[in-house]
Amino acid sequence: MHKTKKILKELITSNLYTRYSNLLSLSDIPLFLIDINGNILFEFIPSPNFCTRVCQENVSQACPDYKCRLNSHTENRFVCKYGLENILLPIVVNDEILGYLAGLQVYLKENEYKKYMINIQSFHEYQFPKLENVAKSISSLKTVEYDKIKIHEQLCKQIAKDISFDLSKTINHTYSDVEKLSIEKEILEKKIIDLEAKNMSLVVNPHFLFNTLNCIARIAYFENSHKTEELIYCLSDLLRYNLKQDHQLHTIGTEIDNIEKYLYIQKARFKNRLEYEIDVPDHIKSYKILNMVIQPILENAVIHGITPKRDGGKICICAKKIKNNIIISVIDNGNGFSEDALQKIQNYENKSGLGFRSTDKRLKQYYGEQYGLKIVKSDYSGSTVTITIPTQHTAR
């Protein structure tokens, strides 16, 4: 069973997650894989904070509402004691259950009232030290239309079938390598086309979104709310950049332009509590880098460095070329990563810290194991995180 668990996890991290990453990126509904004992093996989309803190016995195990329904060969759709919709889909190979695909953890529109019936006073201090944090976690629980839930459920069922199919081939070795590739390619092509068509309703039409933002910006202009107008245009540019799927590589200069818009919005939020400086020479801006690499590191600096400090702080982004490498540094003078935050980033079994780890993994997969992210310093004087990429793979 331990060997099967290892095969299952390797299959997810190396194959299926890559296969479905674009589709799953369109949804924010929780989805995760558990073994037959309820241990969480992998998270496609993390559970909400409320479920993690209140319902789960620990971060590595599913909540009791899932665990009491294990050992069933049938698909299970149920409502938990707090009124949240859930699914539990078995991964079956040779009539043996090897794990489950689970998730949803959202309210149907008709059951949203149950969110407001949760007794905040009933939770222990070890779950939520402050009552306002309980209220925030409850309010962040999502309410989703029935049609969207059904589409997400169909997507999950398809992924569960694919996991069972691929795991069966891995365990039984019933096909030659050529047959495996041919069958998998044919099935993948058909299912991806079908799933992409079904998944269209999970996404807000980008043109509608941008047209709406531009309309709001024009209203702000006519009302002489020029700051609001500028913020809306920055947000529109950020969304447009993040939705780009045509090229995996962008110039460092393009990334920096995107970062400046992000920092401009954060500056409006933090006002005098946030200062920033960008020092990236022009001769470096023309090199190329994987898109959306700097922003997750910058967000960590804002969350762990600037936000906890009463007087705020400063973030610096600088870059330099050393021999055949380009090193981009994100430096803040905050309080540094807490010990808990560092453990979450460094512990690959932990579901938190995914932004940092997934970015590091992307860089290593593309450039090689010697490249990626590194926490150079983190103490009470601040943190420094570096991004190292080679110049030979970033040709101008």
Side-chain angles (χ1 to χ4, degrees):
M1 181 56 67
H2 177 72
K3 183 179 179 182
T4 302
K5 178 179 174 180
K6 183 180 178 183
I7 294 172
L8 183 58
K9 195 166 184 180
E10 286 176 353
L11 174 67
I12 290 295
T13 54
S14 65
N15 187 357
L16 283 178
Y17 181 69
T18 303
R19 180 187 299 179
Y20 289 109
S21 59
N22 285 338
L23 288 175
L24 290 172
S25 69
L26 302 176
S27 176
D28 57 357
I29 299 177
L31 179 65
F32 48 93
L33 184 76
I34 59 177
D35 65 16
I36 58 173
N37 298 314
N39 298 307
I40 298 174
L41 299 178
F42 188 82
E43 283 196 320
F44 292 95
I45 301 172
S47 297
N49 191 39
F50 177 84
C51 296
T52 305
R53 298 285 290 276
V54 172
C55 304
Q56 294 178 204
E57 295 172 359
N58 58 65
V59 294
S60 62
Q61 285 206 326
C63 79
D65 278 339
Y66 285 107
K67 294 172 75 172
C68 70
R69 291 173 169 83
L70 301 181
N71 302 319
S72 170
H73 280 71
T74 59
E75 297 172 351
N76 199 331
R77 171 87 175 271
F78 66 94
V79 178
C80 75
K81 62 182 178 181
Y82 293 109
L84 292 161
E85 299 288 321
N86 295 270
I87 54 171
L88 193 62
L89 308 173
I91 307 296
V92 181
V93 176
N94 300 334
D95 293 324
E96 180 185 1
I97 299 174
L98 301 182
Y100 295 86
L101 198 65
L104 283 182
Q105 297 174 320
V106 295
Y107 284 105
L108 269 174
K109 198 88 172 175
E110 61 203 51
N111 291 334
E112 187 180 21
Y113 71 92
K114 294 183 180 180
K115 178 194 295 189
Y116 307 105
M117 297 177 66
I118 298 174
N119 181 9
I120 294 178
Q121 303 290 340
S122 65
F123 300 118
H124 300 292
E125 287 187 2
Y126 70 85
Q127 295 171 313
F128 288 98
K130 295 181 180 180
L131 287 180
E132 59 262 32
N133 291 339
V134 185
K136 286 180 182 177
S137 71
I138 292 173
S139 65
S140 66
L141 291 170
K142 293 180 176 64
T143 300
V144 179
E145 298 289 343
Y146 178 78
D147 288 345
K148 185 174 179 180
I149 287 181
K150 288 300 293 180
I151 291 172
H152 186 80
E153 189 174 5
Q154 289 172 7
L155 174 65
C156 294
K157 288 179 180 179
Q158 190 60 63
I159 293 175
K161 289 179 182 177
D162 281 359
I163 294 173
S164 298
F165 181 76
D166 280 25
L167 194 57
S168 174
K169 290 192 297 179
T170 302
I171 293 173
N172 297 327
H173 301 286
T174 55
Y175 300 103
S176 69
D177 289 341
V178 174
E179 287 173 328
K180 281 182 183 180
L181 290 171
S182 176
I183 292 171
E184 185 170 343
K185 182 176 181 291
E186 183 180 349
I187 291 173
L188 176 60
E189 287 173 348
K190 290 179 180 178
K191 290 177 180 176
I192 288 294
I193 291 170
D194 181 49
L195 287 169
E196 283 179 340
K198 290 177 181 177
N199 231 42
M200 285 301 293
S201 60
L202 287 175
V203 205
V204 177
N205 186 311
H207 296 294
F208 167 77
L209 180 62
F210 295 134
N211 288 340
T212 303
L213 285 171
N214 288 333
C215 177
I216 296 170
R218 297 307 296 166
I219 292 171
Y221 171 80
F222 286 117
E223 292 179 348
N224 292 319
S225 302
H226 299 304
K227 185 75 172 180
T228 303
E229 178 192 11
E230 206 166 345
L231 286 168
I232 292 169
Y233 281 132
C234 276
L235 175 60
S236 179
D237 289 343
L238 269 175
L239 291 172
R240 188 176 285 106
Y241 181 81
N242 291 350
L243 285 170
K244 281 184 179 178
Q245 299 291 334
D246 51 345
H247 295 96
Q248 192 178 24
L249 292 175
H250 296 278
T251 64
I252 291 175
T254 304
E255 276 282 294
I256 293 299
D257 288 342
N258 191 56
I259 288 303
E260 286 184 302
K261 292 181 175 69
Y262 170 80
L263 284 169
Y264 181 80
I265 293 173
Q266 293 300 324
K267 176 72 174 174
R269 171 191 172 193
F270 286 98
K271 296 184 170 56
N272 293 333
R273 292 185 59 237
L274 172 63
E275 298 295 331
Y276 63 87
E277 178 184 343
I278 298 176
D279 181 18
V280 178
D282 289 338
H283 70 275
I284 288 180
K285 288 183 178 180
S286 56
Y287 286 92
K288 290 187 177 181
I289 190 172
L290 290 171
N291 70 319
M292 292 298 293
V293 163
I294 304 174
Q295 187 169 321
I297 313 309
L298 192 57
E299 287 176 358
N300 270 329
V302 172
I303 293 168
H304 298 293
I306 305 304
T307 302
K309 289 189 71 174
R310 177 181 297 178
D311 298 326
K314 183 175 182 179
I315 296 176
C316 296
I317 301 169
C318 57
K320 56 186 176 181
K321 182 173 177 288
I322 301 178
K323 294 183 179 179
N324 294 323
N325 291 336
I326 291 175
I327 300 174
I328 302 170
S329 300
V330 178
I331 306 163
D332 70 75
N333 63 350
N335 293 329
F337 291 101
S338 66
E339 186 175 340
D340 180 54
L342 281 172
Q343 286 179 351
K344 288 176 180 177
I345 289 172
Q346 294 165 355
N347 181 7
Y348 277 73
E349 297 296 324
N350 195 297
K351 64 182 182 178
S352 301
L354 289 176
F356 190 99
R357 293 202 308 272
S358 62
T359 302
D360 183 51
K361 184 177 179 181
R362 284 179 65 208
L363 290 165
K364 282 177 167 48
Q365 285 179 338
Y366 192 82
Y367 297 115
E369 287 296 319
Q370 67 270 41
Y371 302 100
L373 305 182
K374 183 178 180 182
I375 300 175
V376 177
K377 187 194 82 164
S378 184
D379 54 36
Y380 285 109
S381 65
S383 298
T384 300
V385 178
T386 60
I387 303 164
T388 304
I389 60 173
T391 56
Q392 61 265 32
H393 284 120
T394 54
R396 297 177 226 192

